[in-house]
């Protein structure tokens, strides 16, 4: 299992990696990080501009967009699915629920078409 700091570090280190795999814990710690950054940006925007949807939140969203997309593609790869399934998130409600259900499931044990099992090669892996 990945730690919060490992997941955030991997998110930036592999920001443009759309080919390998991302473990479940790695992905969800990244989602938590993005959530916390968005809250922080909204608080700063509210304090400076009196509006939670200001420039700080927009810059944070843009800075985390590509790494988040790469994480989602790598998460699909961990499930043995092609990264193109990420487009299902564009389908309102039903597509987003389907992606959520897949992303909470454990990834493939052992290697698959997209690489080795991330948990098996990490020091804290199972």
């Amino acid at each position: 299992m990945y730690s919060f700091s490992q997941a955030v570090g991997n998110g930036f280190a592999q920001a443009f990696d759309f080919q390998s795999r991302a473990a479940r814990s790695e992905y969800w710690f990244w989602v938590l990080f993005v959530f916390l950054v968005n809250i922080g940006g909204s608080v700063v925007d509210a304090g400076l501009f009196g509006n939670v949807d200001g420039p700080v939140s927009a810059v944070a969203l843009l800075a985390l967009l590509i790494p988040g997309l790469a994480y989602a593609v790598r998460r699909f790869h961990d499930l043995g699915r092609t990264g193109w399934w990420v487009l299902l998130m564009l389908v309102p409600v039903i597509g987003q629920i389907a992606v959520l259900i897949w992303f909470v499931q454990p990834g493939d044990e052992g290697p698959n078409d997209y690489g080795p099992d991330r948990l098996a090669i990490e020091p804290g892996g199972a």
Side-chain angles (χ1 to χ4, degrees), residues 19-94:
Q19 296 182 2
S20 62
R21 294 170 63 174
R24 180 172 48 174
S25 59
E26 188 180 9
Y27 175 78
W28 286 109
F29 276 135
W30 175 261
V31 170
L32 175 62
F33 170 72
V34 169
F35 179 74
L36 294 174
V37 166
N38 284 333
I39 288 175
S42 294
V43 168
V44 170
D45 281 336
L48 294 177
F49 305 106
N51 185 347
V52 295
D53 295 327
V56 176
S57 296
V59 168
L61 174 70
L62 289 174
L64 299 175
L65 182 66
I66 298 298
L69 182 61
Y71 247 132
V73 168
R74 291 195 316 267
R75 182 70 191 121
F76 273 116
H77 288 173
D78 192 48
L79 297 166
R81 300 182 189 286
T82 178
W84 287 104
W85 278 102
V86 78
L87 295 175
L88 190 60
M89 287 194 253
L90 298 175
V91 177
V93 184
I94 293 175

